[in-house]
Amino acid sequence: MLRWSRRIGLTLGALAFAAAQASAQAVLSPEQMRDLAGQAVLQGQAGLAYDLTGALIERDETDLDAHLIRSRAARNLGRNDEALTHARRAWALAEGENARYAAALAMAQALSSSGRRTAAQLWLRRAVQIAPDDGLKARAAEDFRYVRRQNPWSTALRFSIAPSSNINNGSRNETSELFGLPFEFALEGEARALSGVEISTGLSTRYRLVNSERKRTDLLFGASHRTYVLSDEAKDIAPDAEGSDFATSSVFIGLQEDYALPGGRSRLGWDARLGHTWYGGEPLLSYTRLGTNYRRATGPNGMLSFSVSREGQSGEGTRDDATIWSAHLGYGMSLASGNTVTVSTSFIQSESDADYLDYTQRAISARYGLAKPIGPAQLEFGLSLSEKIHDRANLTTDGRDERSLQATVTAALPEMDFYGFIPTVTLNAERTHANIDLYETENFGIQLGIRSAF
């Protein structure tokens, strides 16, 4: 009965709109026609809205509201090319924040309906940038998240600049005891810590091949490059060195899948990657990596994760081959205050014929993020401890033992939002104690980067 009542209501509404349309030009003013067209598109009468706005645009081709409503109506009718045409025209006509915001949303909606979701995301970032108030900004950001979930492509760009006291992981000491001899050797050039600036860029992209409630399959690609600029002090210590001598570049392709387990709270997945790395502009190694991972939601705000992987490295030139096993266990949750806490532990074992590649490493780390900003900054604190043991070492008969401590403070600056991207500043302090002076290092630096706000 309710279904038939609804049908009768829609029919009567359609008849009323049709009657209004038939006499619109003779009876209704342009303002009344716009209002009627807006009501029609909101009530599901896209055809009527399309016809009414056609009459308005024929009367005045610069009618911004008519183009906006007709773009929506055309999209609802499946006429995506026309929807995009009218959205473009609306953008060209728009003046002022409110009009430009509405036109940017119309462009994003038309592009998304046409299957061009990456372009739609760019227009939604533009809408976020020009939104007249926080409420409309939040709406555009939520639309962005929705389109991103529907988009098979997902791409992330990274860029950072980081002044550092030790770009080459050199020793903090000027002398070192070697080979068990009862005197010290002077450390010179690149063996010592060199200060400078790290410049890092990266790109990672994913194409979702399968997306269902049970299974997701992704094709992966990534590339990164990190290079350095030496300080004047570093050039005095190592006159023959250049920042590019320590540059690292890498590329990889991969495939990953994960599956929803019964109960809806857990996912199990696997991934495979092929990659290549260069150091100082020269080939360093190629690798193949296979891994599996498990994630489970715990309570309303927690997530437990576990992963295991095996990486086979084929060295280039004089570098030896290695097999690296790694395991990672982590847990993160949001507290009642809105603050977030994450703790994790990892284990790595590298097997190789080379002493410097044959080691075991254990690490534990914790991160704590504040929900409320302090001044203009959203703060996150990090602390990690690690131990790396080589049973054999060329420089001593006692093997090589290193213990590292690292602390970070990251400040995100949401008030400096630009197109949904915000700057970040990370303060980093790291120190390594070793039984061989050559491998004792320390590094203090500041990293400037950007991240997406949503």
Side-chain angles (χ1 to χ4, degrees):
M1 185 68 181
L2 290 175
R3 182 184 301 173
W4 282 106
S5 297
R6 184 173 182 274
R7 288 182 179 178
I8 292 171
L10 289 174
T11 302
L12 292 174
L15 291 173
F17 276 120
Q21 179 194 14
S23 58
Q25 295 184 17
V27 178
L28 300 179
S29 69
E31 290 76 13
Q32 291 172 320
M33 290 181 68
R34 289 189 204 95
D35 291 341
L36 190 59
Q39 294 173 24
V41 78
L42 291 176
Q43 295 185 24
Q45 302 295 328
L48 294 176
Y50 182 86
D51 293 338
L52 287 168
T53 52
L56 286 168
I57 293 170
E58 185 176 354
R59 170 187 171 275
D60 180 5
E61 203 279 334
T62 64
D63 190 328
L64 170 64
D65 290 340
H67 282 289
L68 289 172
I69 297 171
R70 196 164 219 235
S71 177
R72 171 75 177 272
R75 185 168 64 91
N76 291 353
L77 292 170
R79 301 174 182 177
N80 295 324
D81 289 342
E82 286 189 57
L84 191 54
T85 296
H86 289 286
R88 286 197 183 102
R89 183 58 180 149
W91 175 257
L93 293 169
E95 295 180 359
E97 288 182 339
N98 287 285
R100 288 170 63 82
Y101 174 83
L105 284 185
M107 281 291 298
Q109 292 165 352
L111 287 165
S112 181
S113 296
S114 299
R116 298 166 59 183
R117 294 187 175 89
T118 300
Q121 288 175 247
L122 296 176
W123 276 94
L124 286 169
R125 285 194 179 276
R126 178 173 282 181
V128 168
Q129 179 66 19
I130 60 181
D133 57 56
D134 290 341
L136 293 177
K137 183 175 183 178
R139 176 195 167 182
E142 183 57 34
D143 287 351
F144 179 93
R145 296 185 187 98
Y146 174 79
V147 174
R148 180 174 58 193
R149 289 193 296 269
Q150 304 301 314
N151 192 356
W153 284 104
S154 177
T155 301
L157 301 175
R158 301 180 301 280
F159 177 79
S160 65
I161 298 176
S164 171
S165 64
N166 190 353
I167 65 171
N168 63 324
N169 203 33
S171 175
R172 64 187 178 91
N173 301 306
E174 296 184 6
T175 61
S176 176
E177 291 184 3
L178 301 176
F179 310 109
L181 298 173
F183 54 85
E184 294 186 338
F185 291 84
L187 299 179
E188 299 179 350
E190 297 177 19
R192 292 176 55 187
L194 304 178
S195 60
V197 177
E198 175 190 297
I199 303 172
S200 179
T201 60
L203 175 148
S204 59
T205 188
R206 176 219 77 197
Y207 183 77
R208 182 146 290 171
L209 300 170
V210 177
N211 187 18
S212 67
E213 292 185 3
R214 176 180 173 273
K215 176 183 175 182
R216 297 185 302 214
T217 304
D218 298 329
L219 184 65
L220 309 173
F221 173 78
S224 64
H225 179 68
R226 185 171 62 244
T227 190
Y228 304 90
V229 178
L230 294 177
S231 67
D232 292 338
E233 181 185 3
K235 292 177 181 178
D236 291 337
I237 296 173
D240 296 330
E242 296 181 0
S244 59
D245 296 340
F246 313 106
T248 303
S249 303
S250 64
V251 296
F252 75 85
I253 59 172
L255 184 70
Q256 68 179 17
E257 283 190 337
D258 70 355
Y259 303 85
L261 300 181
R265 300 181 64 83
S266 304
R267 300 192 74 92
L268 181 66
W270 64 268
D271 64 274
R273 296 189 182 190
L274 301 174
H276 194 85
T277 301
W278 293 262
Y279 182 76
E282 298 294 331
L284 179 67
L285 60 89
S286 298
Y287 68 86
T288 58
R289 182 185 303 162
L290 293 173
T292 184
N293 61 81
Y294 172 80
R295 300 187 306 280
R296 179 176 178 81
T298 58
N301 301 312
M303 179 65 71
L304 177 71
S305 63
F306 175 71
S307 63
V308 178
S309 69
R310 178 192 182 278
E311 181 176 302
Q313 296 183 350
S314 299
E316 301 277 357
T318 60
R319 185 180 176 89
D320 291 273
D321 298 345
T323 300
I324 300 175
W325 289 90
S326 63
H328 179 273
L329 175 66
Y331 179 74
M333 66 177 299
S334 297
L335 306 178
S337 62
N339 296 347
T340 59
V341 60
T342 304
V343 293
S344 64
T345 183
S346 62
F347 175 81
I348 299 174
Q349 179 172 312
S350 177
E351 301 170 350
S352 172
D353 293 333
D355 294 340
Y356 70 101
L357 291 176
D358 195 359
Y359 63 87
T360 58
Q361 184 172 11
R362 302 174 181 85
I364 185 170
S365 63
R367 302 190 72 84
Y368 191 84
L370 301 181
K372 296 181 179 179
I374 297 178
Q378 198 91 36
L379 297 179
E380 184 180 71
F381 304 89
L383 184 67
S384 64
L385 301 168
S386 68
E387 179 185 53
K388 187 178 182 183
I389 298 175
H390 297 253
D391 292 332
R392 304 185 310 275
N394 292 333
L395 303 179
T396 177
T397 58
D398 297 329
R400 175 178 157 194
D401 189 356
E402 303 172 13
R403 290 177 174 83
S404 299
L405 171 65
Q406 183 181 25
T408 61
V409 179
T410 298
L413 305 173
E415 294 182 2
M416 299 179 67
D417 181 306
F418 184 72
Y419 281 80
F421 295 101
I422 58 177
T424 61
V425 180
T426 298
L427 303 178
N428 176 72
E430 182 176 9
R431 185 160 188 173
T432 298
H433 295 274
N435 62 333
I436 302 175
D437 295 342
L438 178 64
Y439 298 109
E440 288 200 335
T441 65
E442 63 182 14
N443 183 23
F444 301 95
I446 180 171
Q447 183 182 52
L448 308 177
I450 55 174
R451 71 167 60 156
S452 179
F454 41 79

